Amino acid sequence: MHFTPKILTTIAEEKGVYIVGLKGNQSELLTDMVQLAKTPSIDYQLHTEEKGHGRIDTRSYKAIDITKEYVDKRWQKANLTTLIQVKRTRLEVKKEKYSEEISYYLSNQKVTTKAIREEIFKAIREHWSVETNNHIRDVSLKEDALKSIISAVALTTSVVRTLITSSLKIIEPNNIIAQFEDFAEDFDELIGFLRKAKIL
């Protein structure tokens, strides 16, 4: 969803609930929220850890009430209420590779119960999975750049992209392009992956 005052204000005025990712295109607000997330004033936290496929994935969620914080006038009717910080880490045990990502979200939903907290955190987790999938299709697999006016070709390439993105979930590489390059340089690694994904 586009993070703009107009859209968020419209949702808030219609009594809707939004959770929206805060990124660099709103640099001043992002800077303020990053600093705020460093304070000890945290209302709810949740830590999860998953092990599998030779990886240890952790996610740490923080929910912070920002109703008393100053925001620019253009955001005031959007009813910004809760800041959510999500820290994701991954350790690939065999390769000893560690990666870390921190993202920020804003919502007009006040976190008052454990149920609301878990609902918000779950929504962010599921939305992040959708964003990751779309990023792979649009950026790594050039979906928008590689189109055909021949419907059969368009359908076939779409199916192939879906097959690739579904298969990559098995190994979840940190860098999709680097993984493609590894496959190109090491045919045995590619064959091993295709067999693991039960494509061969």
Side-chain angles (χ1 to χ4, degrees):
M1 184 176 69
H2 296 293
F3 194 157
T4 66
K6 183 177 180 180
I7 291 177
L8 300 190
T9 297
T10 300
I11 295 173
E13 289 178 344
E14 293 297 323
K15 309 301 181 184
V17 175
Y18 62 77
I19 304 172
V20 61
L22 177 56
K23 300 181 180 179
N25 59 334
Q26 300 293 348
S27 58
E28 292 185 11
L29 187 59
L30 176 60
T31 299
D32 291 342
M33 293 300 110
V34 169
Q35 290 301 315
L36 184 60
K38 295 177 181 178
T39 68
S41 178
I42 300 168
D43 296 289
Y44 287 95
Q45 295 188 70
L46 178 67
H47 181 81
T48 65
E49 181 175 287
E50 298 175 0
K51 297 180 181 179
H53 305 293
R55 300 186 306 270
I56 301 174
D57 292 316
T58 66
R59 288 177 175 81
S60 298
Y61 300 84
K62 297 179 182 180
I64 304 167
D65 186 337
I66 60 170
T67 52
K68 296 180 181 179
E69 301 297 325
Y70 170 80
V71 294
D72 192 78
K73 183 178 179 180
R74 67 196 187 110
W75 295 107
Q76 290 176 3
K77 292 183 179 180
N79 192 28
L80 301 176
T81 302
T82 303
L83 167 66
I84 303 104
Q85 181 197 68
V86 183
K87 180 179 179 180
R88 306 178 186 89
T89 67
R90 168 170 292 173
L91 174 63
E92 296 183 48
V93 179
K94 192 173 183 179
K95 296 181 180 180
E96 296 185 346
K97 290 176 63 177
Y98 175 84
S99 62
E100 179 179 299
E101 177 186 4
I102 299 177
S103 55
Y104 300 87
Y105 301 82
L106 286 171
S107 176
N108 63 334
Q109 173 67 63
K110 188 172 180 62
V111 180
T112 55
T113 66
K114 179 181 177 181
I116 293 175
R117 176 200 70 181
E118 293 181 349
E119 183 178 18
I120 287 178
F121 293 164
K122 180 181 179 183
I124 290 173
R125 172 83 183 266
E126 292 177 349
H127 178 67
W128 182 75
S129 298
V130 171
E131 279 194 332
T132 300
N133 187 64
N134 289 339
H135 179 79
I136 293 172
R137 296 182 73 96
D138 294 340
V139 178
S140 303
L141 301 179
K142 311 290 184 183
E143 185 166 49
D144 289 337
L146 301 174
K147 293 184 178 181
S148 174
I149 60 173
I150 303 173
S151 59
V153 173
L155 177 60
T156 300
T157 54
S158 178
V159 169
V160 169
R161 287 189 184 95
T162 300
L163 178 62
I164 292 171
T165 55
S166 298
S167 300
L168 285 173
K169 290 179 181 179
I170 296 173
I171 57 174
E172 296 183 353
N174 291 324
N175 188 317
I176 300 294
I177 299 300
Q179 184 63 68
F180 288 162
E181 291 174 352
D182 288 346
F183 285 155
E185 294 172 1
D186 189 340
F187 189 67
D188 289 338
E189 181 179 353
L190 173 59
I191 294 300
F193 164 71
L194 294 175
R195 285 174 176 161
K196 186 176 181 180
K198 297 182 179 180
I199 297 173
L200 291 180

